[in-house]
Structures are given as C-alpha cells and as structure tokens.
Amino acid sequence: MKAVCWHGANDVRVETVPDPKIINPRDAIIKITSTAICGSDLHIYNGYIPTMEKGDILGHEFMGEVVELGSSVKNVKVGDRVVVPFTISCGNCFFCNQDLWSLCDNSNPNAWMVEKQMGYSPSGLFGYSHLFGGYAGGQAQYARVPFADVGLFKIPDGLTDEQVLFLTDVFPTGYMAAENCDIKTGDTVAVWGCGPVGQFAIKSAYLLGAERVIAIDRIPERLEMAKTYGKAEVLNYEEIDVGEALKEMTGGRGPDACIDAVGMEAHGTDLMSFYDQAKQAVRLETDRPTALRQVIVSCRKGGHVSIPGVYGGFIDKVPMGAAMNKGLTFKMGQTHVHKYLQPLLEHIQNGKIDPTFIISHRLPIEEAPHGYEIFKHKKDNCTKVVLKP
C-alpha cells in the first residue's frame, strides 16, 4: 500500500509499504477513504517529537471502511463506514471506565519510555512516535486499528466523509477545550490560535453558552475564518498588544476563560519569544510557551485556563506566580475522543455545525509532501489539508 512515511525533519515521503495485518483478536483493518494532516503532525515534521524512526507511517485523523475483523470484534461488520479516534483505548481499564479515554492504561506498549519523563503514560496514539506506542498512522491506504471493538465508531448513512472526518480529533479537541472552560451563560472566552482546533473551540464555546469569543492569531485567512464562520471578535497579535486589548474589551476584568490552542511552537513579537526560539533550536527548551504566558497573564482572577495545544516536554519562564495568586483553574490533556463522538455527531446531523468549513485543500495522498509544506508555511491560504488515498 501507499503510505506517508517520516524520514527526518521536513522530510516526508509517499512510499510503498507492506499492508497491515491482524495481530490481535480485537484488531480490525480499515481501508482508508479520507485522512488529514493535523497541526500536531507539524511538530513531528519540524523535528520536535522524539523517538521517531525512519519509515514510520504518519497520521492520526482518518476514517474508512472495515475490510477485515479480528475474531473478538462483534460490534461492527465488514463494509461498515467508521471513524477512528486518534487516541487508542482498551475500554476496560480504570481510566477508560471513567471516560478518561486518552489516559488508557493498556494501549501504550512503550509506557516505560513515557514514565521516565512524565511519571505515568497516557494512551497510545496513531502515527505519533514510539514514545506513544509506535503505531502505524492513518495517512495511508490501509490501517490496523487495535481495540477495534472500542475504537471504531460507525457512521450512519447520509453523511459525507468530510462532514465526519474531524470527529477523529480536531472537532472533539476543540469541543473539550471549550468544555474545560466551565462556560457560564454570558461568559467571554479568549482563544489563542485560529488553526483547526482553535476554530472548533470558538464554535464550541458558543454552543456551550459563551456570549463573546475573542480570537487571537496573526494569519489573515485564519482570522477571517474566525470572524466569518466563528462569529468571533479577532485580534492580530502582530498589530496590537493583546493583553491591553483584552483588558479594554472586557472592562478591565479580563476574559472569563482563556484557551491555548497553539502549544509548543508558538510565535510572538516580544523578546521572550525570540529567547524561546533560540533555546528550542539548541534543545535547551523543548517547547515555546509564548501563548501560554499570555493566557495566564490575560485571564481574569478566578478564571479558567484550557490547554488543548500540544506540549511535549519542558518550558521556561512560565508565570506560575500569576496563576497561583489569581486563583486560576487549569484543565488540559489529550482529548477523550470516545466520550464526544455521539454528541458531536448529533450536532452535525442537526445542522448546528458543519465541520467542512475548515478545509482549504483536498489532495491525493501522493501529494502529501506538498500538503505538509503548504500547511507548515501557511502558503496558498492553507487552513486544513485532506488527503485522499
């Protein structure tokens, strides 16, 4: 089969690799009909995620048709259309039973590697390094899905791939980010980062009762999308002091909740952001927390900070004094996708949201390297790339 394979920083190639096979009775093989490049894939592309190996298959946003089932998978059948959560979960452990699906105890065979850095391991992830299980990803023609009796979500007739593809990651990730804000009617929510997750966080904040959403970015097409489709007020951080603007827009109080939908490769215009870039370049700091610093300082006293943006290791000069003394509540984590599949599918079916608005480019899988380049560099007004195997 054809698959998008990692060969180093800024080097992905479409290669012919062996087809996946059933290994475990709870496995399934999926013929992939649609897959996408995620913003977190760019962290791998840029060389910031360790334990990648040459030839690793990328991708964690994918869906398709069931073509083969292990003997223990009884809840779906060959021919079913399914989406696949990017988090791999067993469905039986303490954490899965508490709807904390991305913290599954049993799906990362390389848990010992993560435990050395993090204390405990989260779940395995598709296509996201050997640190998180070494699972082959979904930017391919076929994929093996472990724990398929838990991980496959059947799609009803009448919905296109593009309407449901983002149930695999960015839609539930944006929704959980908004849910973590504990939004009350009338609240003001500020969202840093207007990529796909940020866009869904904006839409979800309104669904959950926010009165105002303020979106912060620097890319014109992303700001325009947040304004046009998200109905957000927008701030370009290259043109304005974001902290002062948010004070003025909220009567001096600050937003009730702030969402960092940027994560470890944040950009900025102040001296600290250049300090982060220099330290990250020589690996004295793994992540650039420019957006996170702004979030902490900008949030009102007693407010909520939600972090869906990916962080991988260690950050420097975070204003924990501000966080503690203002009494901020932090919620974060990889998304518990399984928890949100049914309710978000119903939002799509009921017309409350059409996730296709984020798609700018549709490419055959053979053009995946080009897709990575335009997505990374924001060329050709690229906001989201869907690949067709």
Side-chain angles (χ1 to χ4, degrees), residues 13-27:
R13 307 173 193 175
V14 179
E15 299 181 326
T16 300
V17 302
D19 291 348
K21 298 182 183 301
I22 296 287
I23 296 174
N24 185 287
R26 296 180 68 187
D27 287 349

Side-chain angles (χ1 to χ4, degrees), residues 279-359:
K279 289 199 73 172
Q280 189 185 49
V282 295
R283 298 304 190 267
L284 292 176
E285 182 180 30
T286 60
D287 307 352
R288 305 195 302 261
T290 305
L292 181 59
R293 293 190 192 105
Q294 290 185 5
V295 161
I296 292 170
V297 173
S298 299
C299 193
R300 73 158 170 85
K301 294 178 288 186
H304 286 74
V305 170
S306 172
I307 309 174
V310 171
Y311 286 89
F314 301 94
I315 53 179
D316 198 0
K317 292 182 169 52
V318 172
M320 286 306 296
M324 184 271 170
N325 286 287
K326 291 200 297 179
L328 302 181
T329 297
F330 282 67
K331 294 196 77 173
M332 64 197 85
Q334 297 285 4
T335 310
H336 308 305
V337 178
H338 301 64
K339 173 182 177 180
Y340 298 104
L341 288 168
Q342 187 59 43
L344 295 186
L345 174 66
E346 290 172 8
H347 281 322
I348 296 169
Q349 290 176 309
N350 296 336
K352 290 186 177 181
I353 187 167
D354 178 6
T356 64
F357 78 93
I358 66 168
I359 302 170

Side-chain angles (χ1 to χ4, degrees), residues 33-34 63-64 81-83 153-165 167 341-342 344-356 388:
T33 54
S34 293
M63 65 172 294
R81 286 177 71 221
V82 292
V83 297
F153 183 71
K154 187 176 177 180
I155 297 302
D157 294 336
L159 295 168
T160 67
D161 276 17
E162 291 183 357
Q163 285 178 287
V164 297
L165 174 60
L167 288 172
L341 288 168
Q342 187 59 43
L344 295 186
L345 174 66
E346 290 172 8
H347 281 322
I348 296 169
Q349 290 176 309
N350 296 336
K352 290 186 177 181
I353 187 167
D354 178 6
T356 64
K388 291 291 186 179

Side-chain angles (χ1 to χ4, degrees), residues 142-301:
Y142 294 87
R144 179 180 75 92
V145 178
F147 303 111
D149 52 336
V150 174
L152 297 181
F153 183 71
K154 187 176 177 180
I155 297 302
D157 294 336
L159 295 168
T160 67
D161 276 17
E162 291 183 357
Q163 285 178 287
V164 297
L165 174 60
F166 304 125
L167 288 172
T168 59
D169 179 1
V170 286
F171 185 9
T173 297
Y175 189 89
M176 185 171 118
E179 187 178 76
N180 281 345
C181 291
D182 192 24
I183 294 170
K184 305 291 192 299
T185 301
D187 275 359
T188 296
V189 178
V191 179
W192 274 255
C194 295
V197 169
Q199 299 291 340
F200 283 118
I202 292 166
K203 301 283 278 189
S204 299
Y206 281 124
L207 285 172
L208 291 169
E211 183 174 310
R212 299 173 70 193
V213 179
I214 303 167
I216 299 107
D217 206 300
R218 66 187 173 98
I219 307 299
E221 57 269 21
R222 292 185 171 194
L223 289 167
E224 181 59 34
M225 181 178 286
K227 183 178 180 180
T228 302
Y229 290 96
K231 309 304 180 186
E233 302 165 63
V234 298
L235 297 174
N236 185 330
Y237 68 78
E238 290 187 332
E239 299 175 354
I240 197 167
D241 184 315
V242 170
E244 289 302 313
L246 289 171
K247 280 185 180 179
E248 184 175 339
M249 296 169 77
T250 58
R253 189 173 67 187
D256 300 289
C258 294
I259 297 174
D260 173 5
V262 181
M264 65 186 290
E265 291 188 70
H267 295 274
T269 58
D270 61 356
L271 182 62
M272 195 71 74
S273 67
F274 294 105
Y275 163 89
D276 287 330
Q277 290 183 42
K279 289 199 73 172
Q280 189 185 49
V282 295
R283 298 304 190 267
L284 292 176
E285 182 180 30
T286 60
D287 307 352
R288 305 195 302 261
T290 305
L292 181 59
R293 293 190 192 105
Q294 290 185 5
V295 161
I296 292 170
V297 173
S298 299
C299 193
R300 73 158 170 85
K301 294 178 288 186

